[in-house]
């Protein structure tokens, strides 16, 4: 089952192109049928080739998290970018934003009168070249304002000369077992209330944007006009364990080699893989069964993870695969994985087709 | 207190050169006084400039985790390298190892007769050019063999033509509150028993190597002839919380900007920083107080971390620093942080002195 088409050293990040294309097509079809615009979050993949597949399937543009990501995707020809982040913009950042705005339609997030004022001051005479959307806190309690405060932020932005073109939220509290449906209700309520408050204040033609991967397919479209899922292109162990995808929908795995066996008294037999936190990332939600999953042995458990070792407890009664065996690991949170490598290997029908550069790797600012 | 000497965007990884040099000198002095050789683990920093400081202070060579790291440091002129990892070596890897062995004295880890045999076969006629050390499991239960099995592995390696030049262990179970002293005892016992077993089998002039950062300064030197700490150059929030360093010994921080405030009913006031898991890493031990610490506000708690947001609960009664404020975050596990950036900023006396490339970033294989 594993990728042997080329002599690529492990650990290697491998993308199955057929599954990737199927995932992209399915989300595009869903958005089309619901009549909402799709603006995938590119922080998950950071790869221009994947962005082009998303746009070819009908995406209206991309979402990114940082100015650096916007720079990469604007340079790659993406014509519409939304930095879904409440940036604090000083002079250097303003100059970078304006350079991006010379290549693409650019919108950024704000969540306070202070950040709107700071942005407008930093942009100076160019204040009209970058639009803003106000971020709402729909229950994740990270950045964003409550609906009752959205009007004040939008009016401050308007007074400072910024064009307010929408509201957005990230219902991150959908990432827990059984939580997605309730998070979608929270998301709808916050966006509906926020959009209504702005409508009352005279704002028109607002984009109403939401949607994480766990929640996107539950979104009704009654309120939302845009979805921003990211993980859906690859899926990961979290989506698998949340029952938001099937194992056959997982497009990205980390090909790894068994380097050691652990056989100690009082503990299940385990093998050690050469994939660790420096390629998988070390996110582990409280509800996760381990530090990732093995695609071809769902009953195995990754019970410990260090930088270059995964300790995998093997199902009782199953023989441990010998050293040198290659196994495919599904990361818990796939957004961390492409960011840890310079390139990903691309496979179709089990045959190595080449590699893609992770062009926006490390673009944290 | 924060680094304002240059217009560097946040999040930025910043190294205080004075503290770095002090940490390097202190560990070098400790090793010298104990009469053991120091072979720092370079996976922590991945930076040739720091390797040179370690060697100039008396380090005998470097420890690395992967062939890719060995390639980078050999090319940078480091003449003695130990890959402290039980590599499974196929043909391509063997060719890479031999290229490194053309530049530096090279030793690698083994922990089974199978991996020794595989290595010898892959090296072919060049089997004599790379030495091996047998890895012991001293209680961390990751890779490595128990002392009772070390002789069989070493004899298999010798029979295959490999030079066995030592034993090594990583007492990773020292990374917990109050655990370091007991882990040091385990380490000594395992290394003493392992070395004795090899001595009985006729192996001589063995390097007996141990020492994580939490345990290194507790090592007595009676058994060990080499220490391999990595984290000590920078220290981190884990070492701080384990009381293995003081805050003033922390040489690496992530300069971050306050981008938002969280004020919601029923929760402490919090601020949101633009540093997340994509620059800090997301390791969080069960005993950690959060996802890192704030160097200048020890009572703050990083209660949530996403890719580009840290949610920092602020001490009650203290005013939240305004948006745009820069704060210094100490990562929980610093080995993950340089690996997430292309370069680090170097500061001395609060003044920006330039940057260093993280030359071995992403070298996972």
């Amino acid at each position: 089952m594993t990728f042997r088409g080329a002599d690529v050293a492990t650990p290697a990040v491998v993308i199955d192109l057929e599954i990737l294309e199927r995932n992209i097509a399915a989300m595009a079809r869903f958005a089309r049928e619901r009549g909402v615009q799709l603006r995938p979050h590119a922080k998950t993949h950071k790869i221009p080739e994947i962005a082009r597949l998303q746009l070819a399937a009908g995406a209206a543009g991309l979402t990114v998290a940082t100015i650096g990501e916007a720079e990469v995707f604007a340079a790659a020809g993406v014509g519409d970018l939304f930095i879904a982040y409440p940036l604090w913009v000083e002079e250097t950042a303003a100059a970078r934003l304006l350079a991006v705005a010379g290549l693409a339609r650019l919108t950024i997030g704000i969540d306070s009168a202070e950040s709107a004022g700071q942005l407008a001051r930093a942009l100076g005479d160019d204040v009209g070249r970058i639009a803003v959307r106000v971020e709402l806190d729909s229950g994740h309690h990270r950045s964003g304002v409550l609906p009752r405060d959205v009007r004040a932020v939008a009016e401050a932005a308007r007074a400072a000369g910024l064009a307010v073109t929408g509201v957005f939220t990230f219902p991150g509290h959908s990432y827990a077992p059984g939580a997605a449906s309730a998070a979608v209700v929270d998301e709808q309520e916050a966006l509906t209330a926020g959009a209504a408050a702005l409508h009352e204040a005279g704002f028109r033609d607002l984009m109403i944007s939401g949607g994480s991967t766990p929640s996107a397919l539950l979104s009704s479209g009654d309120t939302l006009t845009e979805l921003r899922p990211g993980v859906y292109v690859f899926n990961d162990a979290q989506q698998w364990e949340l029952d938001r995808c099937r194992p056959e929908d997982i497009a990205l795995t980390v090909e790894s080699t068994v380097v050691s066996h652990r056989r100690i008294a009082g503990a299940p037999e385990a093998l050690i893989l050469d994939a660790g936190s420096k390629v998988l990332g070390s996110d582990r939600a409280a509800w996760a069964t381990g530090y990732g999953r093995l695609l071809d042995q769902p009953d195995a458990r990754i019970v410990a993870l260090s930088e270059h070792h995964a300790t995998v407890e093997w199902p009782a009664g199953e023989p441990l695969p010998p050293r040198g065996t290659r196994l495919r690991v599904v990361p818990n949170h796939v957004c961390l994985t492409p960011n840890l490598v310079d390139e990903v290997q691309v496979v179709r029908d089990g045959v190595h087709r080449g590699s893609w550069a992770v062009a926006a790797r490390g673009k944290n600012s």
Side-chain angles (χ1 to χ4, degrees), chain A:
Chain A
M1 286 295 287
T2 64
F3 155 60
R4 301 288 290 189
D7 189 14
V8 174
T10 62
V13 177
V14 180
I15 291 174
D16 186 305
L17 200 46
E18 187 185 344
I19 303 173
L20 176 78
E21 290 173 350
R22 200 167 70 217
N23 292 343
I24 289 172
M27 188 64 82
R29 188 169 56 245
F30 171 80
R32 206 162 45 238
E33 288 172 1
R34 291 290 163 92
V36 300
Q37 130 174 338
L38 185 63
R39 185 188 288 278
H41 209 313
K43 72 181 167 67
T44 303
H45 56 75
K46 294 177 172 269
I47 295 172
E49 286 84 349
I50 296 180
R52 286 187 201 111
L53 293 174
Q54 293 175 313
L55 294 166
L62 291 185
T63 307
V64 294
T66 66
I67 302 174
E69 288 181 345
E71 288 169 334
V72 168
F73 287 104
V78 179
D80 193 328
L81 292 163
F82 170 42
I83 306 177
Y85 194 86
L87 297 173
W88 182 261
V89 176
E90 293 185 334
E91 269 175 44
T92 308
R96 294 172 64 199
L97 289 171
L98 290 170
V100 172
L103 299 171
R105 188 173 163 218
L106 180 61
T107 308
I108 74 173
I110 56 168
D111 77 346
S112 68
E114 293 90 329
S115 55
Q118 173 70 23
L119 173 64
R121 275 191 302 280
L123 290 174
D125 292 343
D126 292 308
V127 67
R129 292 182 57 204
I130 294 170
V132 296
R133 295 179 180 179
V134 183
E135 182 174 11
L136 283 160
D137 175 4
S138 55
H140 187 39
H141 303 326
R142 198 173 62 178
S143 49
V145 293
L146 298 176
R148 64 166 187 254
D149 298 320
V150 69
R151 180 172 176 164
V153 173
E155 288 182 332
R158 181 165 60 185
L162 291 159
V164 179
T165 60
V167 289
F168 74 106
T169 193
F170 173 66
H173 55 314
S174 63
Y175 278 76
S181 299
V184 165
V185 172
D186 293 343
E187 178 188 37
Q188 297 269 356
E189 286 181 358
L191 288 172
T192 303
L198 292 197
H199 198 83
E200 263 179 45
F203 294 94
R204 292 292 179 271
D205 299 321
L206 296 173
M207 194 56 66
I208 302 170
S209 177
S212 64
T213 289
S215 65
L217 297 180
L218 301 171
S219 302
S220 74
D222 291 349
T223 298
L224 274 67
T225 60
E226 181 183 272
L227 289 172
R228 304 188 321 279
V231 167
Y232 78 96
V233 288
F234 297 140
N235 289 307
D236 58 19
Q238 287 187 164
Q239 302 302 322
W240 184 7
E241 297 199 339
L242 290 172
D243 200 22
R244 310 313 307 176
C245 77
R246 304 163 303 173
E248 55 265 39
D249 301 325
I250 294 170
L252 183 149
T253 55
V254 178
E255 176 106 359
S256 311
T257 299
V258 177
V259 295
S260 188
H261 289 164
R262 185 195 74 182
R263 290 192 173 100
I264 51 171
E269 288 196 338
L271 53 83
I272 310 296
L273 292 173
D274 63 358
S277 58
K278 278 180 173 167
V279 68
L280 297 169
S282 39
D283 274 13
R284 184 186 172 172
W287 44 263
T289 66
Y291 293 92
R293 291 288 288 273
L294 264 64
L295 189 57
D296 306 302
Q297 181 44 278
D299 296 330
R301 289 290 174 269
I302 304 180
V303 296
L305 194 71
S306 40
E307 287 154 71
H308 300 280
H309 305 72
T311 303
V312 185
E313 289 188 351
W314 208 244
E318 298 277 333
L320 284 184
R323 289 175 177 80
T325 304
R326 288 191 170 199
L327 297 171
R328 298 188 289 180
V329 181
V330 183
N332 269 347
H333 182 196
V334 75
C335 296
L336 300 180
T337 300
N339 189 51
L340 287 162
V341 294
D342 290 325
E343 58 179 24
V344 297
Q345 306 303 320
V346 181
V347 169
R348 188 191 290 278
D349 300 327
V351 178
H352 188 227
R353 307 291 175 146
S355 62
W356 287 336
V358 186
R361 182 199 52 71
K363 301 298 183 191
N364 281 316
S365 58

